[in-house]
Amino acid sequence: MKPKTLKNIAFAKPHIDKEEIEAVRKVLESGWLTMGPETITFEKEFAKFVGAKHAVSVNSCTSALFLALKALNIGSGDEVIVPSFTFASTANVVVHCGATPVFADVKPEDFCLDPEFVKKVWTKKTKAVMPVHYAGNLAHIDYGGLVIEDSAHRIFKDHKSKNLVCYSFYATKNLTTGEGGMVTTDDDNLAHWLAKARLHGLSHDAWKRYDPNGKWYYDIEFSGFKFNTVDLASAIGRVQLRKFNDMEKKRKEIVNLYNKLLGLDNKGTHLYPILVEKRNEFMAYTKEQGISCSFHFLPLHKSPAFSKIKTPKLPVTEYIGYRVVTLPLFPGLSLKDVEYVCQKIKEFGSFKKGEFDLPVLV
Ligand SMILES: Cc1ncc(COP(=O)(O)O)c(C=O)c1O
């Protein structure tokens, strides 16, 4: 029998303590569990943090991306340019709007959408571009047309974007509410539409109808969706936002140590990607060593769901998509564990320059 490793290093863990538990307890005792005062306050606090005029909370980043496309009237016959190197959501929502995702390549420097490649796949039908801030890296966001930022990996103080920006509060994200999302915008009309669209299309403030201070009457202004979040989650989000700078500092410290020990230069604080030539072997090896790794992402244009969409060769996506591995990264990860992970990586192989001058573990 193989000796059991003593290590059990998680890939990601939420940074939750007594404060979040207390905040949820208060909501439970208040008798108001669904969208209500905690959510409205969380929206205001989040908007202020990222430097946007409005923040509209929803139940996931996927819902946020979908509503953002709907808000911009994107639908049948339209094309939306997305990276292929992203999570399924980014392209799925385009399909669900009746439009077609058009895949473009990413840059080797930051694995974010390549603006030069975007020009190559731009057609008369192109209605919007959806750059992804991969791993927390700042993507190019100015395309001279409609842009929806997929910021599932990046929450940045004073981002101050003129675009619709969509955030994720999924369990592994830098700020978590378990599941959740947010859309931010400076546009009053878009914000008002989004706030109604996430709750069936009911007239503004209809969520207050059971509150003693609310009005009993509401109208259904259009056929909206059921994408609202709940106060139980927003209470967690408010605490997480207060702790956000400290959590980011810890993530940055971990990224810096990985960089120093592995001789790399990663910038983002959400994911720590490396490229590995023999990925299958590496995943089995790290598991044996008690290290949980993951991979972000498979090239979407090669997946069965999108293989029918005509896509030119995406050289960077195809190179990194079959080699990328993401290492453990979360605020509670000890620096000792980071040292252990790096030591095990060095015992497996060493970094050599691969295609596009990218360091690859061989
Ligand atoms: C790049 C990207 N976009 C969108 C999403 C969807 O986020 P959510 O799970 O909040 O819907 C994810 C989730 O991991 C993601 O990585």
Side-chain angles (χ1 to χ4, degrees):
M1 233 173 59
K2 261 186 220 156
K4 255 194 151 182
T5 171
L6 295 174
K7 284 283 181 192
N8 184 13
I9 303 175
F11 171 70
K13 258 189 199 168
H15 204 62
I16 297 287
D17 58 31
K18 277 188 258 156
E19 271 189 87
E20 282 87 349
I21 295 168
E22 182 58 18
V24 171
R25 194 184 60 79
K26 277 192 189 148
V27 173
L28 285 170
E29 285 177 356
S30 78
W32 191 288
L33 307 187
T34 185
M35 187 170 82
E38 282 292 318
T39 301
I40 303 306
T41 311
F42 182 36
E43 288 178 337
K44 287 188 181 132
E45 291 169 350
F46 191 85
K48 190 164 174 225
F49 188 82
V50 297
K53 191 164 175 198
H54 305 279
V56 179
S57 69
V58 283
N59 56 3
S60 70
C61 182
T62 308
S63 303
L65 293 165
F66 177 79
L67 279 191
L69 286 163
K70 286 280 185 194
L72 298 176
N73 271 320
I74 289 165
S76 176
D78 298 336
E79 291 179 353
V80 179
I81 300 174
V82 300
S84 166
F85 192 63
T86 181
F87 188 57
S89 305
T90 324
N92 278 349
V93 292
V94 177
V95 172
H96 291 309
C97 283
T100 305
V102 171
F103 295 110
D105 211 356
V106 291
K107 290 178 281 154
E109 303 87 77
D110 54 12
F111 300 173
C112 291
L113 202 57
D114 178 352
E116 290 308 312
F117 208 99
V118 167
K119 282 185 204 156
K120 281 195 224 168
V121 292
W122 193 287
T123 73
K124 274 189 274 181
K125 292 182 182 169
T126 302
K127 280 285 150 62
V129 183
M130 289 169 78
V132 175
H133 297 296
Y134 176 82
N137 297 330
L138 179 64
H140 182 88
I141 53 170
D142 190 0
Y143 287 91
L146 296 175
V147 172
I148 297 167
E149 293 174 44
D150 180 336
S151 205
H153 296 184
R154 182 182 169 93
I155 297 172
F156 203 69
K157 190 162 167 50
D158 294 328
H159 179 45
K160 285 198 167 56
S161 174
K162 62 178 169 42
N163 303 317
L164 282 160
V165 188
C166 301
Y167 296 92
S168 172
F169 307 139
Y170 178 69
T172 58
K173 295 298 191 286
N174 291 29
L175 183 160
T176 187
T177 62
E179 298 275 1
M182 195 77 87
V183 196
T184 59
T185 176
D186 286 347
D187 186 306
D188 297 344
N189 292 331
L190 286 179
H192 290 149
W193 185 86
L194 288 163
K196 292 176 203 165
R198 57 120 179 243
L199 193 65
H200 307 292
L202 304 188
S203 48
H204 203 57
D205 288 350
W207 62 268
K208 282 187 194 158
R209 61 196 182 279
Y210 301 116
D211 186 86
N213 302 318
K215 292 191 196 110
W216 62 272
Y217 188 79
Y218 63 85
D219 242 331
I220 304 142
E221 295 186 10
F222 58 92
S223 293
F225 303 88
K226 173 65 178 170
F227 287 166
N228 65 288
T229 189
V230 296
D231 268 16
L232 285 166
S234 301
I236 300 173
R238 292 187 61 204
V239 177
Q240 289 266 297
L241 193 58
R242 287 200 291 276
K243 301 195 318 197
F244 190 74
N245 289 339
D246 287 340
M247 294 194 292
E248 279 300 290
K249 233 188 240 167
K250 290 199 172 132
R251 283 179 174 271
K252 190 74 200 153
E253 212 181 327
I254 291 164
V255 169
N256 288 343
L257 186 58
Y258 271 135
N259 280 344
K260 187 173 146 206
L261 298 178
L262 298 177
L264 302 177
D265 189 25
N266 284 6
K267 302 273 184 316
T269 59
H270 176 53
L271 298 171
Y272 194 94
I274 60 170
L275 301 181
V276 183
E277 201 55 55
K278 291 183 181 150
R279 185 164 68 175
N280 285 345
E281 247 177 61
F282 182 81
M283 291 304 270
Y285 165 78
T286 46
K287 196 171 175 193
E288 229 171 59
Q289 303 303 324
I291 304 165
S292 293
C293 293
S294 188
F295 72 104
H296 299 75
F297 294 101
L298 266 184
L300 291 186
H301 69 292
K302 296 287 184 188
S303 322
F306 302 105
S307 58
K308 287 205 180 78
I309 294 172
K310 227 174 135 224
T311 303
K313 191 161 170 43
L314 308 179
V316 180
T317 299
E318 285 162 31
Y319 185 68
I320 63 176
Y322 295 114
R323 289 170 179 78
V324 71
V325 171
T326 36
L327 302 182
L329 173 56
F330 54 94
L333 180 64
S334 74
L335 298 182
K336 274 231 152 339
D337 280 350
V338 175
E339 284 170 7
Y340 173 81
V341 173
C342 294
Q343 182 204 323
K344 292 296 160 193
I345 290 175
K346 285 176 180 168
E347 285 171 19
F348 182 87
S350 54
F351 284 97
K352 300 262 153 50
K353 265 194 186 167
E355 275 186 44
F356 313 104
D357 267 352
L358 286 166
V360 185
L361 188 71
V362 291

